């Protein structure tokens, strides 16, 4: 009986992610098709010539259109049209706020890794002796840096994600010395958060001494590539 239960659990672990992935993909394709297909003339729809509906055709058309828009935007005429459109939207009440917020969200989510989180770290929160995983974004700048200048040290902007949904969380400004920078990649740290600590990084790099503040500063600023140091034998 125990062996059958183990077989069932093993099969469930293998099949559940595949089934959920297939369901999400199929639902997304159906959602995009429902939005795009009504705007395609009937003579261009394969559904008009086949006895069954072709799933994903609307998604393919949407991807092609988005790629064409990106291509046109990359040239001079496209950039001029985009600037004119954004200027027009910026002068429209209500629409201005919605468009600006959505644009900032998409630019943040789809930004290149060089402008996203620099590294992961550990910080004592919510009380001393309890450590949480945070993502270091940048150093405090502008008005925030000016207001916090009386702290006597540089402040870091860190993002504290909850488990298992890292898309929400808290933005904290903390002294640099309160954050212990980790060598693990951002992807590994995200897996650790989403799995509630069940999925640990594949490789753990140990240090014979804590990382220096100067090196942490360079890592946060993105001016130094993280390299793994071999474990040196203890003397």
């Amino acid at each position: 009986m125990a062996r059958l239960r183990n077989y069932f659990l093993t099969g469930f672990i293998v099949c559940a992610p595949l089934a959920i992935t297939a369901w999400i993909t199929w639902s997304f394709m159906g959602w995009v098709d429902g939005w795009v297909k009504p705007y395609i003339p009937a003579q261009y729809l394969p559904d008009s010539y086949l006895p069954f509906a072709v799933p994903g055709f609307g998604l393919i058309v949407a991807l092609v259109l988005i790629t064409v828009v990106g291509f046109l935007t990359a040239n001079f005429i496209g950039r001029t049209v985009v600037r004119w459109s954004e200027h027009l939207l910026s002068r429209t009440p209500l629409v201005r706020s919605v468009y600006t917020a959505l644009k900032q969200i998409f630019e943040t989510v789809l930004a290149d890794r060089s402008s996203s989180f620099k590294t992961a770290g550990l910080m004592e929160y919510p009380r001393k002796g309890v450590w949480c995983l945070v993502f270091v974004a940048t150093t405090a700048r502008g008005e925030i840096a000016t207001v916090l200048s009386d702290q006597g040290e540089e402040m870091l902007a860190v993002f504290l994600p909850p488990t298992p949904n890292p898309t929400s969380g808290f933005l904290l400004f903390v002294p640099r010395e309160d954050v212990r920078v980790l060598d693990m990649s951002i992807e590994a740290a995200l897996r650790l958060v989403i799995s509630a600590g069940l999925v640990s990084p594949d490789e753990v790099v140990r240090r014979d001494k804590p990382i220096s503040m100067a090196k942490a500063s360079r890592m946060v600023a993105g001016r130094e590539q993280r390299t793994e140091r071999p474990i040196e034998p203890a003397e």
Side-chain angles (χ1 to χ4, degrees):
M1 198 64 186
R3 182 173 298 180
L4 290 177
R5 184 186 62 181
N6 292 336
Y7 289 158
F8 172 78
L9 292 177
T10 302
F12 182 80
I13 292 174
V14 172
C15 295
L18 295 176
I20 294 174
T21 302
W23 177 76
I24 293 177
T25 304
W26 186 267
S27 301
F28 179 74
M29 289 172 53
W31 179 74
V32 176
D33 286 349
W35 274 91
V36 176
K37 278 188 174 182
Y39 298 98
I40 303 176
Q43 59 269 27
Y44 298 114
L45 284 174
D47 302 0
S48 304
Y49 308 98
L50 298 175
F52 56 88
V54 178
F57 182 76
L59 177 61
I60 295 176
V61 173
L63 293 176
V64 172
L65 288 177
I66 292 174
T67 304
V68 171
V69 170
F71 171 76
L72 296 177
T73 305
N75 57 49
F76 176 76
I77 298 178
R79 288 195 297 269
T80 304
V81 173
V82 170
R83 283 197 298 266
W84 179 83
S85 302
E86 291 184 342
H87 177 72
L88 180 63
L89 290 174
S90 65
R91 301 175 62 89
T92 305
L94 184 61
V95 176
R96 167 178 57 194
S97 302
V98 176
Y99 173 76
T100 303
L102 290 176
K103 182 180 179 182
Q104 290 177 349
I105 292 174
F106 279 99
E107 286 180 346
T108 302
V109 173
L110 301 178
D112 185 74
R113 281 192 63 181
S114 61
S115 59
S116 58
F117 293 122
K118 300 300 181 184
T119 185
L122 291 175
M123 184 185 71
E124 284 187 302
Y125 182 89
R127 63 175 176 83
K128 189 174 180 61
V130 177
W131 295 86
C132 63
L133 187 65
V134 296
F135 297 99
V136 182
T138 182
T139 55
R141 301 172 181 173
E143 182 181 359
I144 295 178
T146 303
V147 172
L148 297 178
S149 59
D150 59 347
Q151 298 294 318
E153 55 184 308
E154 193 173 23
M155 307 294 288
L156 292 180
V158 301
F159 175 68
L160 173 60
T163 298
N165 179 21
T167 57
S168 61
F170 300 96
L171 173 63
L172 307 174
F173 293 93
V174 298
R176 184 185 294 273
E177 66 176 9
D178 291 350
V179 179
R180 297 191 180 182
V181 179
L182 301 174
D183 277 337
M184 71 172 63
S185 63
I186 298 298
E187 292 77 8
L190 280 174
R191 288 195 297 268
L192 191 63
V193 171
I194 295 174
S195 66
L198 297 177
V199 179
S200 299
D202 296 333
E203 297 181 2
V204 178
V205 180
R206 294 185 296 166
R207 298 189 181 93
D208 54 349
K209 58 181 179 179
I211 186 172
S212 64
M213 299 311 301
K215 185 174 181 179
S217 301
R218 293 194 297 270
M219 291 175 68
V220 172
R223 295 191 294 267
E224 175 180 287
Q225 297 292 333
R226 290 196 297 271
T227 57
E228 296 184 353
R229 288 171 41 183
I231 301 175
E232 299 178 358
E235 297 181 357

